[in-house]
Amino acid sequence: MTLMEINAGDTAWVLVSAALVMLMTPGLAFFYGGMVRVKSVLNMMMMSFVTIAVVTILWVVVGYSLTFGGDSGHVIGNLSEVGLKGLLAPDAVSGTTPTLAFVAFQMMFAIITPALISGAIADRATFRGWIVFVAGWTCLVYFPVAHSVWFLDDGNGGWIGDKLKAIDFAGGTAVHVNAGAAALALAIVLGKRIGWKKDPMRPHSLPLVLLGAALLWFGWFGFNAGSALSAGSTAAITFVNTQVATAAAVIGWLIIERLTHGKATTLGMASGAVAGLVAITPSCGAVTPVGAIILGLFAGGICAFAVSLKYKLGFDDSLDVVGVHLVGGLFGSLAIGFLGSAAAPSGVNGLFYGGGVSQLGRQALANVVVGIYSFTIAFVLAKVIDKTIGFRLTEDDEVTGVDQVEHAETAYDYLSAAGLRGVLSARPVPAPAPAAAEPERATEPETEPETVDESGDETEASEKEGVKA
């Protein structure tokens, strides 16, 4: 390839899409940060932001090379491009863009995938343990899985995308099922939060949740449409599919929430949007806009139901990463086997379009293998971290609050607010004017205030307060 083959429009689109995907990780920080309690909000946001730092360095040093630097056994790349060796040359081109544009775009996928996992262990993980986990899981799981899914080389690439021919346009398998399975493993290893199913543990700031959801929705156009890697019809189709599926998922989630809890909530709306974004990610290039609407409606309803199962199954997935990302990513991937249309860019007919069950089988096999692999490695890695440097906070530290214990900070300065009130209350108040004497009146006996029974089934209350994602 030569420099003349670089297309300026495609390059601009890929770089802008990379920036949009980068914005998703701070958006995730706001989304998760608003969903936790006041004493954990800074730590929750820090877990996303530190992932940006850790994975960026790993990606440049070894990650890109292990993911896209040739093929070794159809499961991993090689070390031929360590430190992005040779990719600064003018003739380093991927498709119609400079290779470094593709490097930047894929870097953002590598960043947000482990960041998604953090929502499962809110309130109770040590910061050092999280950093070590991110580094280990990204190298041991994300790099080989992304290579298996996205490294295509005419049958000589990754086993999932190039050999098995399973479709994952933008990350249902490599990102969401991968992260969701790891989240389940961490929730099991770290155990339940103190007071889980007894204390309400309500989101401390729904406005932050909505802000985060809006940033995720906005950035997701780069996530999905940017994966076309060119500014053409494929990007346009995936853009439209992303929008309509997400809108439909909001409606699907709110319907289930209304039927099960009697109210449509703000948190449910934000969660439904994320569920739709997750589900359309693998299939945005494989379905028609009508198919995307159907997919979104079912994804919203299924994920709304799935997040309630943690109470019955007994695992504390704090912010419902399993119910939204594992279930939503799996559903979106399997939906290709039913709703896939040859009219879409992927060019594969699903069962409903006369394509048989072969594509459904490919999708199922890919996701089951990735889910099992990610869960296993995450489980073992978390156990090792917990037994060595410590991954779970002590009971006293958890009660005190992870923000103060791990970062010596609080999100909101209540002391200053209290001091201001103290200053205001200390101001001299003018004495009231003397009132005219009134005749003495017989005082009525004081009645005892009514006693309100505040006891109740807090477990039921916590389950009815609304599903989270």
Side-chain angles (χ1 to χ4, degrees):
M1 292 186 179
T2 65
L3 183 62
M4 295 300 293
E5 294 175 340
I6 292 177
N7 181 282
D10 293 345
T11 302
W13 174 238
V14 171
L15 290 174
V16 169
S17 295
L20 288 171
V21 180
M22 191 277 167
L23 183 65
M24 291 172 64
T25 302
L28 181 72
F30 282 111
F31 184 71
Y32 280 171
M35 291 173 69
V36 297
R37 292 171 288 179
V38 166
K39 64 181 181 179
S40 306
V41 57
L42 291 179
N43 177 259
M44 193 72 260
M45 299 181 78
M46 281 277 285
M47 291 172 83
S48 289
F49 276 90
V50 78
T51 302
I52 299 175
V54 172
V55 178
T56 294
I57 303 303
L58 289 174
W59 183 253
V60 170
V61 175
V62 296
Y64 178 79
S65 188
L66 290 174
T67 307
F68 294 103
D71 178 77
S72 300
H74 307 297
V75 294
I76 193 68
N78 55 45
L79 299 177
S80 62
E81 293 170 340
V82 168
L84 305 183
K85 178 183 177 182
L87 301 186
L88 278 66
D91 61 348
V93 178
S94 295
T96 58
T97 68
T99 301
L100 281 181
F102 181 71
V103 169
F105 181 68
Q106 286 293 335
M107 179 195 301
M108 305 312 170
F109 281 70
I111 288 169
I112 196 169
T113 304
L116 293 172
I117 302 170
S118 64
I121 54 173
D123 300 335
R124 61 196 188 277
T126 63
F127 195 57
R128 63 181 180 276
W130 170 247
I131 292 174
V132 173
F133 177 84
V134 166
W137 186 87
T138 301
C139 292
L140 296 174
V141 179
Y142 181 79
F143 295 157
V145 169
H147 175 88
S148 298
V149 172
W150 286 324
F151 185 78
L152 308 179
D153 188 22
D154 297 324
N156 297 312
W159 75 271
I160 293 177
D162 214 27
K163 305 286 285 185
L164 182 63
K165 303 297 183 183
I167 295 173
D168 184 10
F169 191 86
T173 303
V175 175
H176 298 293
V177 170
N178 203 10
L184 177 60
L186 260 61
I188 294 173
V189 171
L190 268 65
K192 305 174 182 64
R193 288 168 291 176
I194 298 171
W196 185 65
K197 293 179 69 172
K198 295 180 181 179
D199 300 334
M201 299 184 181
R202 298 184 182 92
H204 92 281
S205 176
L206 288 173
L208 279 185
V209 175
L210 286 180
L211 173 61
L215 291 173
L216 286 169
W217 196 333
F218 176 68
W220 224 288
F221 293 115
F223 202 79
N224 287 357
S227 293
L229 300 177
S230 65
S233 60
T234 298
I237 293 169
T238 54
F239 192 109
V240 171
N241 283 344
T242 299
Q243 176 67 16
V244 298
T246 306
V250 170
I251 296 172
W253 187 294
L254 293 180
I255 289 173
I256 296 301
E257 195 173 51
R258 176 75 178 184
L259 292 174
T260 55
H261 301 292
K263 300 290 183 181
T265 67
T266 304
L267 181 60
M269 179 173 289
S271 301
V274 175
L277 292 165
V278 169
I280 195 60
T281 293
S283 52
C284 59
V287 300
T288 66
V290 173
I293 293 174
I294 297 171
L295 185 151
L297 279 171
F298 278 93
I302 289 171
C303 290
F305 173 75
V307 297
S308 66
L309 294 180
K310 66 181 182 181
Y311 296 106
K312 296 179 176 63
L313 299 177
F315 64 93
D316 182 12
D317 172 18
S318 306
L319 307 183
D320 302 311
V321 182
V322 176
V324 172
H325 294 277
L326 177 57
V327 175
L330 178 61
F331 174 77
S333 295
L334 296 179
I336 297 172
F338 293 98
L339 296 169
S341 171
S346 296
V348 174
N349 279 325
L351 184 62
F352 295 163
Y353 288 82
V357 298
S358 58
Q359 190 62 42
L360 179 62
R362 296 186 186 102
Q363 300 300 126
L365 177 60
N367 284 277
V368 168
V369 172
V370 168
I372 292 174
Y373 176 71
S374 179
F375 177 90
T376 302
I377 299 299
F379 188 92
V380 173
L381 182 59
K383 279 286 189 182
V384 171
I385 293 172
D386 196 41
K387 296 296 184 182
T388 53
I389 65 173
F391 206 167
R392 173 70 190 253
L393 288 176
T394 65
E395 183 174 336
D396 289 342
D397 287 347
E398 184 178 340
V399 171
T400 300
V402 65
D403 283 358
Q404 290 206 24
V405 170
E406 291 289 298
H407 309 295
E409 296 175 307
T410 57
Y412 306 102
D413 194 351
Y414 293 115
L415 292 178
S416 293
L420 178 61
R421 288 195 299 269
V423 170
L424 293 176
S425 63
R427 289 181 178 178
V429 179
E438 293 184 359
E440 292 186 1
R441 291 179 296 179
T443 58
E444 296 180 0
E446 295 182 358
T447 58
E448 291 292 328
E450 294 182 2
T451 302
V452 179
D453 182 8
E454 295 182 348
S455 63
D457 188 353
E458 292 181 338
T459 301
E460 182 180 355
S462 65
E463 295 184 15
K464 290 185 177 180
E465 69 187 53
V467 286
K468 298 187 274 186

